[in-house]
């Protein structure tokens, strides 16, 4: 007899599929929306999330039953809406976005239990059995919680067998306890530092937004050293008082070292962290604790935005302008922009903090979409570092060297005064290019259109795009010349070599992602710098922002022109932001700081604005240029990257895509053209760029355009809405 009460639900699977699938619900199961379930897919079983009522489009006789429901808290409706929103905006399959919310599938399983022991309620006439060891066990448990055998035995100084024997003869009672990690709870009532009147005004404004329990987006704009962190800490304290959760997004794992210490000093306990260095156990415990509401503050990288917060009351995006908030592979999204969306969905305020806000955020403030709070001066009356350009055309370094005479003189003065120097060069390794002097051939990556970068300290050549590596060669593969390779251009390792030669008594250390591969190593390096154990720090962009080094008074930008050579849309903006931030590391305490910027183009608008310390002039000029060209934030862009192992097949697919390109007023399609990185990880790459006015949504255009195209199995099409990189 037909079951007229058959229930069906849509189940979204964490796979790059176009939509959710219908499944039937057995009578024995209750599956509210958001439930984590196991369902059959082909010949296997897979985890998914109940997304709502079934569509009814599948005949009943073809429906398959849900296998089981996992014992995890269902995914909140606001998080499911967030997944749908991100998928619709980025044109990514919803299942691919869902996968980012499931940071630890083991967290969805029933938590493990352990046996814990406590004194039996009635020990009875057992005095003769109470040996000294047993008495120590009972003493360890006196007025305390029940403990597992290993912990109890260690505390009492006995072997585990003593505890187990006491349980078997009735001296101890055992009970099962759910195993879960405890997280320290930051205290919002913990005393913070005394704020200046200006900081207090800004902090109170943020606190009001927290107490409103409503969505708002606020740009917290303050110069380096103005105390932005302490100000938004006050908003965090207010959120904790409301018993709601806080998410703080930081762009770099290296930034968390000092930030975590400042947080713990302010709130008496560390927040929970979410980043790629976590072990699988740490990920499972943290994910579950966030979902259960047992974690009140999370600090993390962009992926933390997809965690299952039980009651999210505040989001802070620190260094909101930073490019590392943009995910370039898989689901391409900007965590800064998606943080605003998530805050809106949970009716919470979001704070975007930066000393050099993105042009998009500045434009949103101007348009009234975001509010703005300003901290125009450093805390305590400290002055910003003085900036000066060193014209390399007039004061070039000696041949084969990279530091100009004025810079060397400034370093001598600084070191003689017992102060520290930061040499900034955003180029890892020893040298960016290695050439054969006999034939001119350069060592290239076999899988990418990129040079192999020499890392002399590790004796290896590395591709920074795909990770390919090989040992240094003696013989040129093209001409057979032996020992004719020469390093061209400087990297941070070569700079360290020069610093050692110039200042042999100085303690020199590298601060890069190659030299500091974990958060613990980065933390230790920061502590050595603060303790004065480093005289000359040589770093890439890891050293450029977020750090507070009290004795650092001289910053040298070794190649200020480096970021201006790309020619892409954001080259000027990125260069200004980076150099302004790195200059802001100098003179953070009571000693005046200075920054020297080596450049071949002191007349460039970016250099002129830096030296004049006139950010507004740069922003005005840059926005005017963008507006004239109809570029973001005054226009919309979407990039299409077509890739495959066969270049001819990729070109054929691109030709088919080009034939279907939209043609209408306000829409321009550029390409296909060979991508700057024409070969990446063995795949040939071509690019299209779709450009529209602000009043035209690119997603419907792209959907209509690309729905007409069938892709061969070996060819991939990646869509990047609001591209940040043009490689």
């Amino acid at each position: 007899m037909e079951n007229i009460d058959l229930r069906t639900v849509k189940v979204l699977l964490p796979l790059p599929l176009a939509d959710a699938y219908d499944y039937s619900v057995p009578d024995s199961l209750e599956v509210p929306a958001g439930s984590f379930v196991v369902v059959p897919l082909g010949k296997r079983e897979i985890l998914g999330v109940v997304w709502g009522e079934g569509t009814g489009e599948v005949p009943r006789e073809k429906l398959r039953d849900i296998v089981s429901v996992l014992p995890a808290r269902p995914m909140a409706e606001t998080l499911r809406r967030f997944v749908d929103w991100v998928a619709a905006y980025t044109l990514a399959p919803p299942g691919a976005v869902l996968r980012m919310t499931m940071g630890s599938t083991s967290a969805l399983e029933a938590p493990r239990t352990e046996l814990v022991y406590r004194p039996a309620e009635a020990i009875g006439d057992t005095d003769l059995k109470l040996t000294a060891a047993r008495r120590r066990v009972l003493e360890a448990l006196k007025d305390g919680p029940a403990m597992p055998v290993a912990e109890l035995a260690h505390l009492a100084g006995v072997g585990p067998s003593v505890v187990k024997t006491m349980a078997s003869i009735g001296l101890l009672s055992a009970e099962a306890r759910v195993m879960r990690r405890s997280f320290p709870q930051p205290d919002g009532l913990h005393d913070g530092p005394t704020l200046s009147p200006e900081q207090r005004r800004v902090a109170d404004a943020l606190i009001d937004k927290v107490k409103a329990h409503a969505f708002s987006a606020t740009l917290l704009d303050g110069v380096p050293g103005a105390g932005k962190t302490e100000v938004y800490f006050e908003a965090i304290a207010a959120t904790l008082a409301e018993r709601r959760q806080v998410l703080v997004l930081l762009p770099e794992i290296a930034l968390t070292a000092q930030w975590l210490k400042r947080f713990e000093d302010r709130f008496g306990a560390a927040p929970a962290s979410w980043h790629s260095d976590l072990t699988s156990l740490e990920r499972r415990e943290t994910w579950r604790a966030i979902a259960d509401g047992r974690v009140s503050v999370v600090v993390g990288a962009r992926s933390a935005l997809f965690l299952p917060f039980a009651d999210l009351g505040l989001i802070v995006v620190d260094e909101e302008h930073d490019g590392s908030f943009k995910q370039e592979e898989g689901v391409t999204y900007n965590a800064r922009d998606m943080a605003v969306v998530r805050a809106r969905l949970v009716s919470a305020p979001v704070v975007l903090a930066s000393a050099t806000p993105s042009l998009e955020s500045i434009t949103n403030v101007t348009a009234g979409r975001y509010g703005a709070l300003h901290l125009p001066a450093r805390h305590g009356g400290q002055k910003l570092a003085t900036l000066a350009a060193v014209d390399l055309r007039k004061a070039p370094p000696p041949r084969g060297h990279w530091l100009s005479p004025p810079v060397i003189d400034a370093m001598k003065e600084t070191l003689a005064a017992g102060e520290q120097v930061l040499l900034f060069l955003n180029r890892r390794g020893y040298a960016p290019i290695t050439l054969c002097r006999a034939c001119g051939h350069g060592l290239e990556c076999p899988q990418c259109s990129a040079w192999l970068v020499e890392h002399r300290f590790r004796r290896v050549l590395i591709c920074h795009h795909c990770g390919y590596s090989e040992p240094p060669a003696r013989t040129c593969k093209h001409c057979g010349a032996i020992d004719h390779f020469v390093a061209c251009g400087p990297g941070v390792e070569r700079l360290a070599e020069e610093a050692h030669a110039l200042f042999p008594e100085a303690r020199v250390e590298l601060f890069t992602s190659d030299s500091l591969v974990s958060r613990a190593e980065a933390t230790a390096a920061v502590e050595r710098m603060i303790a004065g154990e480093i005289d000359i720090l040589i770093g890439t962009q890891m050293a450029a922002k977020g750090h507070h080094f009290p004795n650092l008074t001289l910053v040298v930008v070794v190649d200020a022109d480096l970021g201006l050579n790309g020619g892409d849309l954001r080259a000027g903006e990125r260069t200004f932001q980076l150099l302004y931030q790195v200059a802001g590391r100098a003179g953070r305490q009571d000693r005046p700081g200075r920054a020297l910027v080596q450049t071949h183009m002191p007349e460039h608008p970016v250099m002129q604005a830096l030296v004049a310390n006139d950010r507004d002039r740069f922003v005005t000029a840059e926005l005017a240029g963008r507006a004239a060209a109809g570029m973001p934030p005054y226009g919309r862009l979407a990039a299409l990257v077509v890739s495959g192992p066969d270049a001819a097949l990729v070109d054929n697919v691109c030709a088919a895509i080009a034939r279907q390109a939209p043609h209408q007023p306000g829409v321009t399609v550029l390409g296909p053209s060979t991508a700057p990185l024409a070969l990446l990880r063995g795949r040939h790459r071509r690019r299209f760029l779709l450009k529209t006015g602000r009043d035209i949504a690119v997603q419907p255009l792209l959907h209509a355009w690309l729905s007409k195209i069938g892709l061969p199995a070996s060819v991939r099409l990646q869509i990047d809405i609001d591209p940040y990189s043009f490689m």
Side-chain angles (χ1 to χ4, degrees):
M1 182 176 177
E2 184 180 357
N3 182 2
I4 60 173
D5 295 322
L6 181 68
R7 295 175 295 160
T8 63
V9 292
K10 289 190 302 183
V11 176
L12 187 62
L13 306 176
L15 300 171
L17 303 171
D19 206 349
Y21 288 173
D22 278 7
Y23 286 89
S24 58
V25 181
D27 292 338
S28 59
L29 296 180
E30 289 294 330
V31 285
S35 296
F36 292 92
V37 295
V38 176
V39 296
L41 183 68
K43 295 182 179 180
R44 59 180 175 147
E45 293 182 348
I46 191 168
L47 177 67
V49 178
V50 175
W51 222 245
E53 293 293 327
T55 63
E57 298 173 357
V58 181
R60 291 184 177 181
E61 62 273 12
K62 292 187 177 180
L63 284 177
R64 303 178 72 180
D65 281 353
I66 289 175
V67 176
S68 62
V69 181
L70 275 67
R73 190 182 299 272
M75 181 179 288
E77 189 250 351
T78 53
L79 183 51
R80 301 198 307 275
R81 287 169 57 199
F82 183 57
V83 169
D84 285 335
W85 201 99
V86 173
Y89 188 84
T90 62
L91 294 181
V97 182
L98 174 67
R99 190 172 185 175
M100 297 192 296
T101 71
M102 298 164 66
S104 175
T105 54
S106 63
L108 304 173
E109 302 166 356
R112 292 180 294 175
T113 59
E114 62 180 347
L115 284 179
V116 293
Y117 297 86
R118 66 175 68 254
E121 290 186 9
I123 294 178
D125 187 16
T126 56
D127 289 345
L128 295 178
K129 299 176 184 177
L130 289 181
T131 63
R134 292 174 181 176
R135 290 182 188 278
R136 290 201 302 272
V137 171
L138 292 174
E139 187 65 26
L141 288 169
K142 185 179 180 181
D143 300 326
M147 286 185 272
V149 60
E151 183 180 344
L152 179 54
H154 175 74
L155 189 62
V158 301
S161 61
V162 173
V163 177
K164 294 177 181 177
T165 300
M166 291 177 69
S168 68
I169 63 175
L171 290 173
L172 299 178
S173 62
E175 59 188 52
R177 181 178 71 181
V178 173
M179 294 177 63
R180 66 183 189 184
R181 175 187 165 193
S182 62
F183 288 84
Q185 296 302 314
D187 182 3
L189 300 178
H190 205 264
D191 289 338
T194 301
L195 301 184
S196 69
E198 189 68 17
Q199 289 174 327
R200 186 75 264 165
R201 177 190 64 80
V202 173
D204 287 344
L206 292 180
I207 290 170
D208 289 341
K209 294 179 184 300
V210 168
K211 291 181 176 179
H213 285 228
F215 167 72
S216 63
T218 304
L219 177 64
L220 178 56
D221 180 2
V223 299
K228 295 183 293 296
T229 304
E230 294 298 344
V231 164
Y232 72 65
F233 276 180
E234 295 297 300
I236 292 175
T239 310
L240 294 176
E242 300 280 322
R243 298 188 180 279
R244 303 186 75 189
Q245 293 169 300
V246 178
L247 168 63
V248 181
L249 296 179
L250 296 178
E252 304 262 5
I253 189 172
L255 293 183
T256 62
Q258 270 187 302
W259 191 95
L260 287 172
K261 184 179 186 307
R262 293 175 69 181
F263 185 95
E264 191 166 355
D265 290 344
R266 171 65 177 83
F267 295 103
S273 295
W274 187 264
H275 48 73
S276 58
D277 274 5
L278 295 182
T279 66
S280 58
L281 175 61
E282 289 171 329
R283 294 178 76 84
R284 182 183 73 208
E285 293 294 322
T286 304
W287 193 96
R288 184 180 284 275
I290 292 168
D292 292 343
R294 291 185 287 114
V295 163
S296 55
V297 182
V298 178
V299 58
R302 59 179 180 252
S303 60
L305 189 60
F306 294 89
L307 288 168
F309 291 94
D311 187 11
L312 187 55
L314 172 68
I315 301 176
V316 177
V317 185
D318 206 345
E319 308 289 356
E320 64 89 27
H321 66 278
D322 198 279
S324 62
F325 282 126
K326 181 62 187 280
Q327 178 158 298
E328 302 281 4
E329 297 185 349
V331 179
T332 58
Y333 68 94
N334 191 312
R336 175 200 65 213
D337 300 336
M338 297 304 106
V340 175
V341 175
R342 183 146 198 203
R344 181 182 289 112
L345 291 174
V346 298
S347 298
V350 58
V351 177
L352 310 175
S354 177
T356 53
S358 62
L359 296 185
E360 283 80 4
S361 292
I362 290 173
T363 304
N364 280 325
V365 169
T366 304
R369 289 185 287 269
Y370 294 176
L373 294 168
H374 299 277
L375 291 169
R378 279 186 165 180
H379 182 56
Q382 301 164 20
K383 294 184 177 180
L384 288 169
T386 58
L387 279 86
V390 177
D391 190 342
L392 293 178
R393 298 169 300 188
K394 297 179 180 178
R399 184 177 178 84
H401 294 77
W402 316 102
L403 298 176
S404 64
V407 162
I408 295 172
D409 290 341
M411 292 176 68
K412 288 178 180 177
E413 294 172 12
T414 302
L415 295 174
E419 297 166 353
Q420 294 167 310
V421 177
L422 169 62
L423 300 180
F424 173 77
L425 177 63
N426 206 21
R427 203 183 256 151
R428 293 148 59 195
Y430 184 82
I433 305 174
T434 302
L435 297 176
C436 173
R437 285 177 293 190
C439 68
H441 171 68
L443 297 181
E444 296 177 286
C445 174
Q447 301 174 158
C448 304
S449 302
W451 303 110
L452 289 175
V453 177
E454 181 184 2
H455 287 251
R456 186 165 293 185
F457 296 173
R458 294 161 56 191
R459 295 193 56 77
V460 68
L461 297 164
I462 299 177
C463 173
H464 288 161
H465 298 282
C466 73
Y468 171 85
S469 64
E470 63 180 44
R474 291 189 60 197
T475 304
C476 178
K477 297 176 182 178
H478 276 240
C479 70
I482 298 175
D483 291 335
H484 273 60
F485 288 114
V486 60
C488 298
V492 287
E493 292 179 4
R494 198 169 195 179
L495 204 57
E497 192 176 81
E498 182 172 349
H500 277 298
L502 287 169
F503 305 99
E505 302 300 318
R507 296 162 296 179
V508 179
E509 192 162 323
L510 291 177
F511 198 87
T512 73
S513 57
D514 296 311
S515 61
L516 307 170
V517 296
S518 70
R519 186 178 61 171
E521 292 181 2
T523 300
V526 169
E527 290 174 351
R528 288 193 297 276
M529 187 70 178
I530 293 173
E533 297 172 11
I534 302 170
D535 299 311
I536 302 174
L537 188 69
I538 301 175
T540 58
Q541 64 181 1
M542 277 181 63
K545 54 218 170 187
H547 301 294
H548 179 80
F549 300 132
N551 200 39
L552 175 63
T553 59
L554 175 63
V555 168
V556 177
V557 179
V558 176
D559 187 354
D561 307 329
L562 183 60
L564 297 173
N565 296 329
D568 68 46
L569 169 69
R570 292 186 172 87
E573 180 185 9
R574 276 199 299 259
T575 300
F576 182 86
Q577 289 167 340
L578 187 58
L579 300 187
Y580 187 84
Q581 291 274 354
V582 72
R585 298 312 100 204
R588 304 275 292 194
Q589 201 67 25
D590 54 354
R591 304 183 183 190
R594 54 177 169 163
L596 298 178
V597 180
Q598 292 191 155
T599 175
H600 288 93
M601 301 182 291
E603 69 283 353
H604 193 284
V606 169
M607 303 306 160
Q608 291 288 310
L610 276 171
V611 171
N613 193 24
D614 192 347
R615 190 193 76 184
D616 291 344
R617 182 174 75 179
F618 168 76
V619 168
T620 300
E622 187 74 6
L623 284 175
R626 300 272 189 96
M631 286 293 191
Y634 300 105
R636 300 184 187 275
L637 290 179
L640 281 65
V641 178
V642 184
S643 67
D646 184 331
L649 181 58
V650 169
D651 288 335
N652 289 338
V653 170
C654 287
I657 293 174
R659 285 193 292 270
Q660 299 293 338
H663 298 283
Q664 65 185 68
V667 176
T668 303
V669 176
L670 305 173
S673 61
T674 301
L677 270 174
L679 184 68
L680 180 63
R681 301 185 185 96
R683 300 181 67 84
H684 299 272
R685 304 169 75 244
R686 307 291 184 264
R687 290 180 61 95
F688 290 86
L689 192 65
L690 174 69
K691 176 174 173 283
T692 75
R694 287 291 300 177
D695 58 337
I696 299 176
V698 298
Q699 288 86 354
L701 275 175
L702 287 167
H703 189 272
W705 177 12
L706 300 175
S707 63
K708 306 171 186 176
I709 308 298
L711 294 178
S714 64
V715 175
R716 298 177 196 154
L717 172 60
Q718 182 182 26
I719 301 172
D720 185 358
I721 306 294
D722 307 325
Y724 186 84
S725 167
F726 293 84
M727 298 301 287

